[in-house]
PDB file of all heavy atoms in Angstrom:
ATOM      1  N   GLU V 156       3.288 -12.381  -8.325  1.00 91.00           N
ATOM      2  CA  GLU V 156       1.884 -12.524  -8.699  1.00 91.00           C
ATOM      3  C   GLU V 156       1.761 -13.333  -9.981  1.00 91.00           C
ATOM      4  O   GLU V 156       2.567 -13.164 -10.910  1.00 91.00           O
ATOM      5  CB  GLU V 156       1.252 -11.153  -8.846  1.00 91.00           C
ATOM      6  CG  GLU V 156       1.123 -10.427  -7.529  1.00 91.00           C
ATOM      7  CD  GLU V 156       0.486  -9.083  -7.595  1.00 91.00           C
ATOM      8  OE1 GLU V 156       0.578  -8.393  -8.665  1.00 91.00           O
ATOM      9  OE2 GLU V 156      -0.125  -8.684  -6.601  1.00 91.00           O
ATOM     10  N   ASP V 157       0.800 -14.198 -10.020  1.00 92.00           N
ATOM     11  CA  ASP V 157       0.535 -15.060 -11.189  1.00 92.00           C
ATOM     12  C   ASP V 157      -0.740 -14.547 -11.870  1.00 92.00           C
ATOM     13  O   ASP V 157      -1.840 -14.766 -11.373  1.00 92.00           O
ATOM     14  CB  ASP V 157       0.361 -16.505 -10.745  1.00 92.00           C
ATOM     15  CG  ASP V 157       0.108 -17.468 -11.885  1.00 92.00           C
ATOM     16  OD1 ASP V 157       0.073 -17.012 -13.051  1.00 92.00           O
ATOM     17  OD2 ASP V 157      -0.022 -18.660 -11.628  1.00 92.00           O
ATOM     18  N   TYR V 158      -0.604 -13.866 -12.996  1.00 89.00           N
ATOM     19  CA  TYR V 158      -1.729 -13.268 -13.683  1.00 89.00           C
ATOM     20  C   TYR V 158      -2.393 -14.183 -14.700  1.00 89.00           C
ATOM     21  O   TYR V 158      -3.227 -13.705 -15.465  1.00 89.00           O
ATOM     22  CB  TYR V 158      -1.256 -11.971 -14.345  1.00 89.00           C
ATOM     23  CG  TYR V 158      -0.765 -10.936 -13.419  1.00 89.00           C
ATOM     24  CD1 TYR V 158       0.592 -10.642 -13.319  1.00 89.00           C
ATOM     25  CD2 TYR V 158      -1.641 -10.211 -12.613  1.00 89.00           C
ATOM     26  CE1 TYR V 158       1.053  -9.684 -12.445  1.00 89.00           C
ATOM     27  CE2 TYR V 158      -1.193  -9.226 -11.735  1.00 89.00           C
ATOM     28  CZ  TYR V 158       0.173  -8.990 -11.669  1.00 89.00           C
ATOM     29  OH  TYR V 158       0.601  -8.009 -10.789  1.00 89.00           O
ATOM     30  N   GLY V 159      -2.032 -15.460 -14.766  1.00 87.00           N
ATOM     31  CA  GLY V 159      -2.557 -16.347 -15.758  1.00 87.00           C
ATOM     32  C   GLY V 159      -4.057 -16.333 -15.930  1.00 87.00           C
ATOM     33  O   GLY V 159      -4.576 -16.255 -17.048  1.00 87.00           O
ATOM     34  N   ASP V 160      -4.800 -16.359 -14.830  1.00 83.00           N
ATOM     35  CA  ASP V 160      -6.262 -16.357 -14.922  1.00 83.00           C
ATOM     36  C   ASP V 160      -6.792 -15.069 -15.534  1.00 83.00           C
ATOM     37  O   ASP V 160      -7.805 -15.082 -16.263  1.00 83.00           O
ATOM     38  CB  ASP V 160      -6.890 -16.489 -13.513  1.00 83.00           C
ATOM     39  CG  ASP V 160      -6.722 -17.897 -12.939  1.00 83.00           C
ATOM     40  OD1 ASP V 160      -6.358 -18.800 -13.669  1.00 83.00           O
ATOM     41  OD2 ASP V 160      -6.976 -18.050 -11.718  1.00 83.00           O
ATOM     42  N   TYR V 161      -6.154 -13.949 -15.298  1.00 81.00           N
ATOM     43  CA  TYR V 161      -6.606 -12.666 -15.800  1.00 81.00           C
ATOM     44  C   TYR V 161      -6.230 -12.446 -17.269  1.00 81.00           C
ATOM     45  O   TYR V 161      -6.852 -11.660 -17.927  1.00 81.00           O
ATOM     46  CB  TYR V 161      -6.100 -11.521 -14.906  1.00 81.00           C
ATOM     47  CG  TYR V 161      -6.705 -11.663 -13.538  1.00 81.00           C
ATOM     48  CD1 TYR V 161      -6.056 -12.335 -12.528  1.00 81.00           C
ATOM     49  CD2 TYR V 161      -7.970 -11.144 -13.278  1.00 81.00           C
ATOM     50  CE1 TYR V 161      -6.640 -12.510 -11.279  1.00 81.00           C
ATOM     51  CE2 TYR V 161      -8.573 -11.324 -12.043  1.00 81.00           C
ATOM     52  CZ  TYR V 161      -7.924 -11.988 -11.074  1.00 81.00           C
ATOM     53  OH  TYR V 161      -8.492 -12.170  -9.832  1.00 81.00           O
ATOM     54  N   ILE V 162      -5.201 -13.141 -17.695  1.00 81.00           N
ATOM     55  CA  ILE V 162      -4.850 -13.091 -19.123  1.00 81.00           C
ATOM     56  C   ILE V 162      -5.870 -13.910 -19.919  1.00 81.00           C
ATOM     57  O   ILE V 162      -6.378 -13.475 -20.946  1.00 81.00           O
ATOM     58  CB  ILE V 162      -3.428 -13.613 -19.351  1.00 81.00           C
ATOM     59  CG1 ILE V 162      -2.422 -12.629 -18.739  1.00 81.00           C
ATOM     60  CG2 ILE V 162      -3.142 -13.772 -20.840  1.00 81.00           C
ATOM     61  CD1 ILE V 162      -0.995 -13.141 -18.699  1.00 81.00           C
ATOM     62  N   ASP V 163      -6.208 -15.100 -19.390  1.00 82.00           N
ATOM     63  CA  ASP V 163      -7.154 -15.966 -20.044  1.00 82.00           C
ATOM     64  C   ASP V 163      -8.580 -15.416 -20.050  1.00 82.00           C
ATOM     65  O   ASP V 163      -9.316 -15.578 -20.976  1.00 82.00           O
ATOM     66  CB  ASP V 163      -7.141 -17.352 -19.411  1.00 82.00           C
ATOM     67  CG  ASP V 163      -5.844 -18.065 -19.556  1.00 82.00           C
ATOM     68  OD1 ASP V 163      -5.044 -17.712 -20.467  1.00 82.00           O
ATOM     69  OD2 ASP V 163      -5.539 -18.977 -18.740  1.00 82.00           O
ATOM     70  N   GLN V 164      -8.984 -14.802 -18.936  1.00 86.00           N
ATOM     71  CA  GLN V 164     -10.334 -14.323 -18.786  1.00 86.00           C
ATOM     72  C   GLN V 164     -10.331 -13.037 -17.957  1.00 86.00           C
ATOM     73  O   GLN V 164     -10.415 -13.074 -16.727  1.00 86.00           O
ATOM     74  CB  GLN V 164     -11.164 -15.394 -18.042  1.00 86.00           C
ATOM     75  CG  GLN V 164     -12.470 -15.644 -18.666  1.00 86.00           C
ATOM     76  CD  GLN V 164     -13.135 -16.849 -18.012  1.00 86.00           C
ATOM     77  OE1 GLN V 164     -12.789 -17.322 -16.931  1.00 86.00           O
ATOM     78  NE2 GLN V 164     -14.167 -17.322 -18.649  1.00 86.00           N
ATOM     79  N   PRO V 165     -10.195 -11.879 -18.612  1.00 84.00           N
ATOM     80  CA  PRO V 165     -10.134 -10.619 -17.866  1.00 84.00           C
ATOM     81  C   PRO V 165     -11.361 -10.370 -16.987  1.00 84.00           C
ATOM     82  O   PRO V 165     -12.462 -10.789 -17.320  1.00 84.00           O
ATOM     83  CB  PRO V 165     -10.037  -9.553 -18.984  1.00 84.00           C
ATOM     84  CG  PRO V 165      -9.629 -10.280 -20.192  1.00 84.00           C
ATOM     85  CD  PRO V 165     -10.147 -11.652 -20.054  1.00 84.00           C
ATOM     86  N   ALA V 166     -11.092  -9.705 -15.908  1.00 90.00           N
ATOM     87  CA  ALA V 166     -12.172  -9.310 -15.007  1.00 90.00           C
ATOM     88  C   ALA V 166     -12.678  -7.908 -15.426  1.00 90.00           C
ATOM     89  O   ALA V 166     -12.010  -7.223 -16.221  1.00 90.00           O
ATOM     90  CB  ALA V 166     -11.671  -9.252 -13.560  1.00 90.00           C
ATOM     91  N   TYR V 167     -13.847  -7.524 -14.900  1.00 92.00           N
ATOM     92  CA  TYR V 167     -14.407  -6.239 -15.204  1.00 92.00           C
ATOM     93  C   TYR V 167     -14.824  -5.552 -13.922  1.00 92.00           C
ATOM     94  O   TYR V 167     -15.232  -6.238 -12.968  1.00 92.00           O
ATOM     95  CB  TYR V 167     -15.630  -6.365 -16.145  1.00 92.00           C
ATOM     96  CG  TYR V 167     -15.238  -6.768 -17.540  1.00 92.00           C
ATOM     97  CD1 TYR V 167     -14.959  -8.084 -17.873  1.00 92.00           C
ATOM     98  CD2 TYR V 167     -15.051  -5.786 -18.515  1.00 92.00           C
ATOM     99  CE1 TYR V 167     -14.570  -8.453 -19.136  1.00 92.00           C
ATOM    100  CE2 TYR V 167     -14.660  -6.135 -19.801  1.00 92.00           C
ATOM    101  CZ  TYR V 167     -14.402  -7.472 -20.123  1.00 92.00           C
ATOM    102  OH  TYR V 167     -13.969  -7.809 -21.352  1.00 92.00           O
ATOM    103  N   THR V 168     -14.842  -4.233 -13.927  1.00 91.00           N
ATOM    104  CA  THR V 168     -15.321  -3.505 -12.769  1.00 91.00           C
ATOM    105  C   THR V 168     -16.845  -3.550 -12.748  1.00 91.00           C
ATOM    106  O   THR V 168     -17.450  -3.929 -13.767  1.00 91.00           O
ATOM    107  CB  THR V 168     -14.877  -2.008 -12.815  1.00 91.00           C
ATOM    108  OG1 THR V 168     -15.566  -1.377 -13.899  1.00 91.00           O
ATOM    109  CG2 THR V 168     -13.385  -1.889 -12.949  1.00 91.00           C
ATOM    110  N   PRO V 169     -17.519  -3.202 -11.649  1.00 92.00           N
ATOM    111  CA  PRO V 169     -18.974  -3.169 -11.645  1.00 92.00           C
ATOM    112  C   PRO V 169     -19.537  -2.236 -12.732  1.00 92.00           C
ATOM    113  O   PRO V 169     -20.665  -2.475 -13.215  1.00 92.00           O
ATOM    114  CB  PRO V 169     -19.318  -2.647 -10.247  1.00 92.00           C
ATOM    115  CG  PRO V 169     -18.182  -3.092  -9.423  1.00 92.00           C
ATOM    116  CD  PRO V 169     -16.961  -2.954 -10.312  1.00 92.00           C
ATOM    117  N   ALA V 170     -18.744  -1.238 -13.160  1.00 91.00           N
ATOM    118  CA  ALA V 170     -19.214  -0.345 -14.229  1.00 91.00           C
ATOM    119  C   ALA V 170     -18.933  -0.900 -15.627  1.00 91.00           C
ATOM    120  O   ALA V 170     -19.209  -0.231 -16.638  1.00 91.00           O
ATOM    121  CB  ALA V 170     -18.529   0.997 -14.098  1.00 91.00           C
ATOM    122  N   GLY V 171     -18.380  -2.129 -15.711  1.00 93.00           N
ATOM    123  CA  GLY V 171     -18.155  -2.751 -17.010  1.00 93.00           C
ATOM    124  C   GLY V 171     -16.832  -2.427 -17.648  1.00 93.00           C
ATOM    125  O   GLY V 171     -16.615  -2.730 -18.829  1.00 93.00           O
ATOM    126  N   ARG V 172     -15.907  -1.836 -16.912  1.00 93.00           N
ATOM    127  CA  ARG V 172     -14.610  -1.495 -17.475  1.00 93.00           C
ATOM    128  C   ARG V 172     -13.662  -2.691 -17.298  1.00 93.00           C
ATOM    129  O   ARG V 172     -13.589  -3.277 -16.237  1.00 93.00           O
ATOM    130  CB  ARG V 172     -14.036  -0.265 -16.789  1.00 93.00           C
ATOM    131  CG  ARG V 172     -14.963   0.960 -16.953  1.00 93.00           C
ATOM    132  CD  ARG V 172     -14.293   2.229 -16.503  1.00 93.00           C
ATOM    133  NE  ARG V 172     -15.197   3.357 -16.523  1.00 93.00           N
ATOM    134  CZ  ARG V 172     -15.614   3.978 -17.630  1.00 93.00           C
ATOM    135  NH1 ARG V 172     -15.195   3.560 -18.799  1.00 93.00           N
ATOM    136  NH2 ARG V 172     -16.429   5.005 -17.524  1.00 93.00           N
ATOM    137  N   PRO V 173     -12.874  -2.980 -18.382  1.00 93.00           N
ATOM    138  CA  PRO V 173     -11.960  -4.143 -18.279  1.00 93.00           C
ATOM    139  C   PRO V 173     -10.770  -3.836 -17.345  1.00 93.00           C
ATOM    140  O   PRO V 173     -10.250  -2.724 -17.311  1.00 93.00           O
ATOM    141  CB  PRO V 173     -11.510  -4.369 -19.688  1.00 93.00           C
ATOM    142  CG  PRO V 173     -11.711  -3.051 -20.391  1.00 93.00           C
ATOM    143  CD  PRO V 173     -12.847  -2.374 -19.679  1.00 93.00           C
ATOM    144  N   ILE V 174     -10.377  -4.842 -16.596  1.00 92.00           N
ATOM    145  CA  ILE V 174      -9.172  -4.782 -15.742  1.00 92.00           C
ATOM    146  C   ILE V 174      -8.115  -5.567 -16.517  1.00 92.00           C
ATOM    147  O   ILE V 174      -8.315  -6.767 -16.804  1.00 92.00           O
ATOM    148  CB  ILE V 174      -9.417  -5.367 -14.369  1.00 92.00           C
ATOM    149  CG1 ILE V 174     -10.529  -4.568 -13.675  1.00 92.00           C
ATOM    150  CG2 ILE V 174      -8.146  -5.414 -13.539  1.00 92.00           C
ATOM    151  CD1 ILE V 174     -11.033  -5.152 -12.389  1.00 92.00           C
ATOM    152  N   LEU V 175      -7.022  -4.875 -16.883  1.00 92.00           N
ATOM    153  CA  LEU V 175      -6.042  -5.425 -17.772  1.00 92.00           C
ATOM    154  C   LEU V 175      -4.663  -5.353 -17.170  1.00 92.00           C
ATOM    155  O   LEU V 175      -4.391  -4.575 -16.244  1.00 92.00           O
ATOM    156  CB  LEU V 175      -6.067  -4.682 -19.081  1.00 92.00           C
ATOM    157  CG  LEU V 175      -7.389  -4.634 -19.796  1.00 92.00           C
ATOM    158  CD1 LEU V 175      -7.373  -3.580 -20.916  1.00 92.00           C
ATOM    159  CD2 LEU V 175      -7.767  -5.973 -20.353  1.00 92.00           C
ATOM    160  N   LEU V 176      -3.748  -6.137 -17.749  1.00 92.00           N
ATOM    161  CA  LEU V 176      -2.327  -6.057 -17.372  1.00 92.00           C
ATOM    162  C   LEU V 176      -1.705  -4.877 -18.113  1.00 92.00           C
ATOM    163  O   LEU V 176      -1.982  -4.648 -19.301  1.00 92.00           O
ATOM    164  CB  LEU V 176      -1.588  -7.330 -17.775  1.00 92.00           C
ATOM    165  CG  LEU V 176      -1.695  -8.494 -16.822  1.00 92.00           C
ATOM    166  CD1 LEU V 176      -1.126  -9.713 -17.433  1.00 92.00           C
ATOM    167  CD2 LEU V 176      -1.050  -8.162 -15.501  1.00 92.00           C
ATOM    168  N   THR V 177      -0.805  -4.168 -17.447  1.00 91.00           N
ATOM    169  CA  THR V 177      -0.116  -3.006 -18.063  1.00 91.00           C
ATOM    170  C   THR V 177       0.628  -3.437 -19.323  1.00 91.00           C
ATOM    171  O   THR V 177       0.696  -2.639 -20.278  1.00 91.00           O
ATOM    172  CB  THR V 177       0.899  -2.441 -17.022  1.00 91.00           C
ATOM    173  OG1 THR V 177       0.145  -2.044 -15.867  1.00 91.00           O
ATOM    174  CG2 THR V 177       1.617  -1.245 -17.575  1.00 91.00           C
ATOM    175  N   ILE V 178       1.160  -4.634 -19.349  1.00 90.00           N
ATOM    176  CA  ILE V 178       2.000  -5.062 -20.487  1.00 90.00           C
ATOM    177  C   ILE V 178       1.202  -5.706 -21.613  1.00 90.00           C
ATOM    178  O   ILE V 178       1.803  -6.186 -22.593  1.00 90.00           O
ATOM    179  CB  ILE V 178       3.087  -6.028 -19.996  1.00 90.00           C
ATOM    180  CG1 ILE V 178       2.471  -7.252 -19.341  1.00 90.00           C
ATOM    181  CG2 ILE V 178       4.063  -5.312 -19.091  1.00 90.00           C
ATOM    182  CD1 ILE V 178       3.419  -8.355 -18.994  1.00 90.00           C
ATOM    183  N   GLU V 179      -0.128  -5.730 -21.534  1.00 89.00           N
ATOM    184  CA  GLU V 179      -0.942  -6.298 -22.640  1.00 89.00           C
ATOM    185  C   GLU V 179      -0.784  -5.408 -23.854  1.00 89.00           C
ATOM    186  O   GLU V 179      -0.651  -4.202 -23.784  1.00 89.00           O
ATOM    187  CB  GLU V 179      -2.385  -6.418 -22.252  1.00 89.00           C
ATOM    188  CG  GLU V 179      -2.651  -7.498 -21.236  1.00 89.00           C
ATOM    189  CD  GLU V 179      -4.083  -7.761 -21.034  1.00 89.00           C
ATOM    190  OE1 GLU V 179      -4.840  -8.011 -22.047  1.00 89.00           O
ATOM    191  OE2 GLU V 179      -4.512  -7.771 -19.877  1.00 89.00           O
ATOM    192  N   ASP V 180      -0.844  -6.052 -25.020  1.00 91.00           N
ATOM    193  CA  ASP V 180      -0.788  -5.286 -26.300  1.00 91.00           C
ATOM    194  C   ASP V 180      -1.910  -4.274 -26.342  1.00 91.00           C
ATOM    195  O   ASP V 180      -3.026  -4.558 -25.921  1.00 91.00           O
ATOM    196  CB  ASP V 180      -0.910  -6.207 -27.490  1.00 91.00           C
ATOM    197  CG  ASP V 180       0.311  -7.110 -27.662  1.00 91.00           C
ATOM    198  OD1 ASP V 180       1.397  -6.784 -27.148  1.00 91.00           O
ATOM    199  OD2 ASP V 180       0.186  -8.140 -28.339  1.00 91.00           O
ATOM    200  N   ALA V 181      -1.601  -3.104 -26.826  1.00 89.00           N
ATOM    201  CA  ALA V 181      -2.618  -2.054 -26.948  1.00 89.00           C
ATOM    202  C   ALA V 181      -3.680  -2.481 -27.935  1.00 89.00           C
ATOM    203  O   ALA V 181      -3.436  -3.166 -28.932  1.00 89.00           O
ATOM    204  CB  ALA V 181      -1.968  -0.770 -27.440  1.00 89.00           C
ATOM    205  N   CYS V 182      -4.908  -2.078 -27.640  1.00 89.00           N
ATOM    206  CA  CYS V 182      -6.026  -2.444 -28.534  1.00 89.00           C
ATOM    207  C   CYS V 182      -6.131  -1.421 -29.678  1.00 89.00           C
ATOM    208  O   CYS V 182      -5.455  -0.406 -29.661  1.00 89.00           O
ATOM    209  CB  CYS V 182      -7.314  -2.467 -27.701  1.00 89.00           C
ATOM    210  SG  CYS V 182      -7.936  -0.818 -27.247  1.00 89.00           S
ATOM    211  N   PRO V 183      -6.993  -1.697 -30.642  1.00 88.00           N
ATOM    212  CA  PRO V 183      -7.180  -0.761 -31.775  1.00 88.00           C
ATOM    213  C   PRO V 183      -7.713   0.611 -31.341  1.00 88.00           C
ATOM    214  O   PRO V 183      -7.613   1.579 -32.097  1.00 88.00           O
ATOM    215  CB  PRO V 183      -8.159  -1.459 -32.699  1.00 88.00           C
ATOM    216  CG  PRO V 183      -8.131  -2.904 -32.331  1.00 88.00           C
ATOM    217  CD  PRO V 183      -7.724  -2.953 -30.878  1.00 88.00           C
ATOM    218  N   HIS V 184      -8.286   0.694 -30.148  1.00 88.00           N
ATOM    219  CA  HIS V 184      -8.882   1.966 -29.694  1.00 88.00           C
ATOM    220  C   HIS V 184      -7.902   2.764 -28.821  1.00 88.00           C
ATOM    221  O   HIS V 184      -8.249   3.799 -28.262  1.00 88.00           O
ATOM    222  CB  HIS V 184     -10.128   1.662 -28.856  1.00 88.00           C
ATOM    223  CG  HIS V 184     -11.096   0.782 -29.547  1.00 88.00           C
ATOM    224  ND1 HIS V 184     -11.784   1.150 -30.668  1.00 88.00           N
ATOM    225  CD2 HIS V 184     -11.490  -0.486 -29.263  1.00 88.00           C
ATOM    226  CE1 HIS V 184     -12.539   0.135 -31.059  1.00 88.00           C
ATOM    227  NE2 HIS V 184     -12.398  -0.869 -30.205  1.00 88.00           N
ATOM    228  N   ALA V 185      -6.676   2.309 -28.722  1.00 89.00           N
ATOM    229  CA  ALA V 185      -5.679   2.967 -27.845  1.00 89.00           C
ATOM    230  C   ALA V 185      -5.381   4.386 -28.312  1.00 89.00           C
ATOM    231  O   ALA V 185      -5.362   4.669 -29.491  1.00 89.00           O
ATOM    232  CB  ALA V 185      -4.396   2.153 -27.798  1.00 89.00           C
ATOM    233  N   ASP V 186      -5.161   5.257 -27.345  1.00 89.00           N
ATOM    234  CA  ASP V 186      -4.746   6.643 -27.606  1.00 89.00           C
ATOM    235  C   ASP V 186      -3.407   6.841 -26.882  1.00 89.00           C
ATOM    236  O   ASP V 186      -3.398   7.008 -25.662  1.00 89.00           O
ATOM    237  CB  ASP V 186      -5.799   7.630 -27.111  1.00 89.00           C
ATOM    238  CG  ASP V 186      -5.403   9.043 -27.336  1.00 89.00           C
ATOM    239  OD1 ASP V 186      -4.293   9.361 -27.793  1.00 89.00           O
ATOM    240  OD2 ASP V 186      -6.278   9.941 -27.070  1.00 89.00           O
ATOM    241  N   MET V 187      -2.323   6.845 -27.604  1.00 88.00           N
ATOM    242  CA  MET V 187      -1.000   6.861 -27.030  1.00 88.00           C
ATOM    243  C   MET V 187      -0.531   8.280 -26.721  1.00 88.00           C
ATOM    244  O   MET V 187       0.492   8.494 -26.081  1.00 88.00           O
ATOM    245  CB  MET V 187       0.039   6.210 -27.935  1.00 88.00           C
ATOM    246  CG  MET V 187      -0.249   4.734 -28.156  1.00 88.00           C
ATOM    247  SD  MET V 187      -0.363   3.867 -26.595  1.00 88.00           S
ATOM    248  CE  MET V 187      -0.731   2.231 -27.117  1.00 88.00           C
ATOM    249  N   GLY V 188      -1.285   9.299 -27.135  1.00 81.00           N
ATOM    250  CA  GLY V 188      -0.977  10.686 -26.810  1.00 81.00           C
ATOM    251  C   GLY V 188       0.446  11.022 -27.183  1.00 81.00           C
ATOM    252  O   GLY V 188       0.786  10.985 -28.363  1.00 81.00           O
ATOM    253  N   ASP V 189       1.271  11.424 -26.220  1.00 74.00           N
ATOM    254  CA  ASP V 189       2.640  11.831 -26.479  1.00 74.00           C
ATOM    255  C   ASP V 189       3.604  10.670 -26.587  1.00 74.00           C
ATOM    256  O   ASP V 189       4.804  10.850 -26.683  1.00 74.00           O
ATOM    257  CB  ASP V 189       3.139  12.760 -25.358  1.00 74.00           C
ATOM    258  CG  ASP V 189       2.388  14.083 -25.383  1.00 74.00           C
ATOM    259  OD1 ASP V 189       1.857  14.459 -26.434  1.00 74.00           O
ATOM    260  OD2 ASP V 189       2.344  14.744 -24.308  1.00 74.00           O
ATOM    261  N   SER V 190       3.119   9.414 -26.496  1.00 67.00           N
ATOM    262  CA  SER V 190       3.949   8.209 -26.601  1.00 67.00           C
ATOM    263  C   SER V 190       3.637   7.437 -27.864  1.00 67.00           C
ATOM    264  O   SER V 190       3.100   6.344 -27.821  1.00 67.00           O
ATOM    265  CB  SER V 190       3.719   7.318 -25.373  1.00 67.00           C
ATOM    266  OG  SER V 190       3.995   7.982 -24.188  1.00 67.00           O
ATOM    267  N   PRO V 191       3.991   8.008 -29.034  1.00 66.00           N
ATOM    268  CA  PRO V 191       3.590   7.343 -30.278  1.00 66.00           C
ATOM    269  C   PRO V 191       4.238   5.982 -30.453  1.00 66.00           C
ATOM    270  O   PRO V 191       3.746   5.144 -31.205  1.00 66.00           O
ATOM    271  CB  PRO V 191       4.062   8.298 -31.366  1.00 66.00           C
ATOM    272  CG  PRO V 191       5.089   9.149 -30.717  1.00 66.00           C
ATOM    273  CD  PRO V 191       4.730   9.193 -29.272  1.00 66.00           C
TER     274      PRO V 191
END
């Protein structure tokens, strides 16, 4: 799979939630829970 388009311009669900790659850097709002 070639994720280039989704890295450059992420898609969103109809509810407005971002669709992201698992390996993208965590955002400032991330909650890592038991994985500090």
Side-chain angles (χ1 to χ4, degrees):
E156 293 181 330
D157 181 0
Y158 297 107
D160 289 348
Y161 295 93
I162 292 170
D163 295 339
Q164 226 172 14
Y167 289 82
T168 68
R172 300 190 187 286
I174 299 171
L175 305 166
L176 279 171
T177 301
I178 58 173
E179 288 190 52
D180 291 340
C182 73
H184 309 294
D186 180 353
M187 298 304 179
D189 294 336
S190 301

